[in-house]
């Protein structure tokens, strides 16, 4: 009977194991559970409560068909500009992750995002255990530009260098499909004078659509001075290394 209540246990993994979650993510789980258009859970589960393979237990879910969406950021991160903006909606197909928006309508990259979802059934008079396996939902881009001193503005501030990354979307659904508008992602660059290099660190973006390709435009003191056009698109889980010089660009994807 739909009115009968039983306990349901949830195991949280990354790349198929709880050990990988504890080692590589070790963050709180943001959890949404839906039954039709009813949201049965919209909560944050501290990592300590499911660490070392311990299951999360729910005792208030009646028998029926459910959909679940969960996400985590690496480390015990608070919700801030480095975490996604989330719209849970009233049903799972409306669930969205969004890049944060800052000054001049720029989108900001994410530090990390691991996401997963599953559909499951709770039968009458049965206790059940289910597993949600999280995946890396971001494309991580690393940019290094060599021998850049000759194209930097002479006398310009080397503390005011940034890029616009084009070729991704502002939003993503629970199945890693791009949604929303095209995004222009802002990220600062660091100039390493002893190596005459510009380096970006990690730029975490949401996936591209099939028609999009990545373009990087570099600015110094609000003036463009370098552009890289690629044939690559952002794919969830990929790590893209762009190694560029004034006249040559090498791209490696892991």
């Amino acid at each position: 009977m739909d009115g009968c209540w039983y306990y349901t246990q949830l195991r949280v993994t990354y790349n198929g194991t709880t050990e990988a979650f504890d080692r590589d993510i070790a963050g709180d789980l943001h959890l949404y559970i839906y039954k039709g258009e009813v949201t049965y859970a919209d909560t944050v589960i501290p990592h300590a409560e499911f660490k070392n393979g311990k299951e999360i237990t729910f005792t208030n879910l009646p028998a029926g068909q459910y959909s679940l969406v969960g996400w985590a950021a690496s480390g015990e991160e608070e919700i801030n500009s480095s975490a996604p903006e989330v719209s849970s909606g009233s049903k799972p197909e409306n669930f969205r992750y969004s890049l944060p928006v800052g000054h001049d309508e720029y989108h900001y990259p994410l530090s990390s995002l691991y996401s997963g979802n599953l559909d499951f059934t709770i039968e009458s008079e049965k206790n059940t255990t289910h597993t949600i396996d999280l995946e890396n939902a971001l494309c991580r881009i690393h940019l290094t530009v060599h021998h850049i001193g000759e194209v930097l503005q002479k006398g310009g501030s080397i503390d005011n260098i940034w890029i616009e990354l084009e070729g991704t979307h502002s939003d993503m659904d629970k199945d890693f499909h791009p949604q929303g508008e095209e995004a222009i992602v802002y990220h600062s660059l660091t100039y390493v004078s002893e190596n005459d290099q510009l380096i970006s660190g990690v730029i975490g973006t949401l996936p591209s659509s099939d028609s999009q390709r990545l373009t990087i435009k570099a600015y110094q003191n609000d003036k463009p001075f370098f552009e890289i056009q690629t044939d690559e698109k952002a794919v969830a889980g990929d790590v893209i290394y762009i190694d560029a010089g004034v006249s040559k660009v090498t791209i490696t994807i892991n």
Side-chain angles (χ1 to χ4, degrees):
M1 295 175 59
D2 192 65
C4 296
W5 303 68
Y6 305 91
Y7 74 73
T8 302
Q9 292 185 315
L10 181 67
R11 184 179 297 112
V12 184
T13 63
Y14 171 56
N15 285 339
T17 70
T18 59
E19 292 83 1
F21 186 99
D22 292 343
R23 181 187 64 244
D24 299 332
I25 302 179
D28 299 343
L29 180 69
H30 301 253
L31 189 62
Y32 310 82
I33 300 178
Y34 303 90
K35 185 171 186 265
E37 295 190 11
V38 176
T39 303
Y40 270 84
D42 179 350
T43 188
V44 180
I45 311 295
H47 178 223
E49 294 187 12
F50 59 93
K51 190 176 181 180
N52 298 322
K54 183 179 179 181
E55 287 89 3
I56 301 167
T57 300
F58 299 92
T59 58
N60 61 341
L61 299 178
Q65 302 290 325
Y66 289 85
S67 295
L68 180 152
V69 181
W71 69 272
S74 59
E76 303 296 338
E77 293 187 33
E78 299 292 333
I79 298 296
N80 54 36
S81 61
S82 65
E85 296 177 356
V86 176
S87 173
S88 57
S90 61
K91 47 189 177 180
E93 52 263 42
N94 293 335
F95 189 94
R96 295 288 185 272
Y97 298 106
S98 300
L99 294 174
V101 179
H103 72 281
D104 296 330
E105 300 303 312
Y106 278 122
H107 291 87
Y108 287 122
L110 302 176
S111 58
S112 61
L113 175 59
Y114 301 87
S115 176
N117 65 86
L118 74 152
D119 297 325
F120 62 96
T121 301
I122 298 178
E123 299 181 21
S124 296
E125 301 182 359
K126 287 187 178 180
N127 300 316
T128 58
T129 299
H130 306 277
T131 298
I132 180 171
D133 187 50
L134 303 192
E135 301 177 52
N136 183 4
L138 299 182
C139 177
R140 293 185 170 105
I141 300 171
H142 300 253
L143 171 66
T144 303
V145 185
H146 303 272
H147 310 301
I148 198 66
E150 60 188 89
V151 296
L152 287 176
Q153 298 171 28
K154 302 307 178 184
S157 172
I158 60 174
D159 297 322
N160 193 21
I161 302 173
W162 73 94
I163 62 168
E164 290 179 351
L165 174 66
E166 300 177 1
T168 66
H169 271 249
S170 61
D171 303 272
M172 178 182 73
D173 67 18
K174 67 181 180 64
D175 296 309
F176 300 178
H177 298 141
Q179 303 289 332
E181 63 185 7
E182 293 189 9
I184 300 179
V185 178
Y186 171 95
H187 192 76
S188 61
L189 298 178
T190 300
Y191 181 60
V192 182
S193 58
E194 56 266 31
N195 298 325
D196 193 18
Q197 291 178 337
L198 286 174
I199 57 175
S200 68
V202 181
I203 308 170
T205 70
L206 299 180
S208 307
S209 66
D210 288 339
S211 63
Q212 292 177 304
R213 294 298 180 266
L214 296 174
T215 297
I216 295 173
K217 299 177 182 178
Y219 293 81
Q220 181 187 18
N221 301 320
D222 297 327
K223 296 181 180 180
F225 71 97
F226 195 85
E227 182 172 335
I228 299 169
Q229 294 182 326
T230 81
D231 292 326
E232 308 300 333
K233 64 179 183 178
V235 176
D238 277 357
V239 182
I240 300 178
Y241 296 91
I242 301 177
D243 200 51
V246 173
S247 59
K248 181 179 179 181
V249 177
T250 302
I251 300 175
T252 305
I253 301 178
N254 290 347

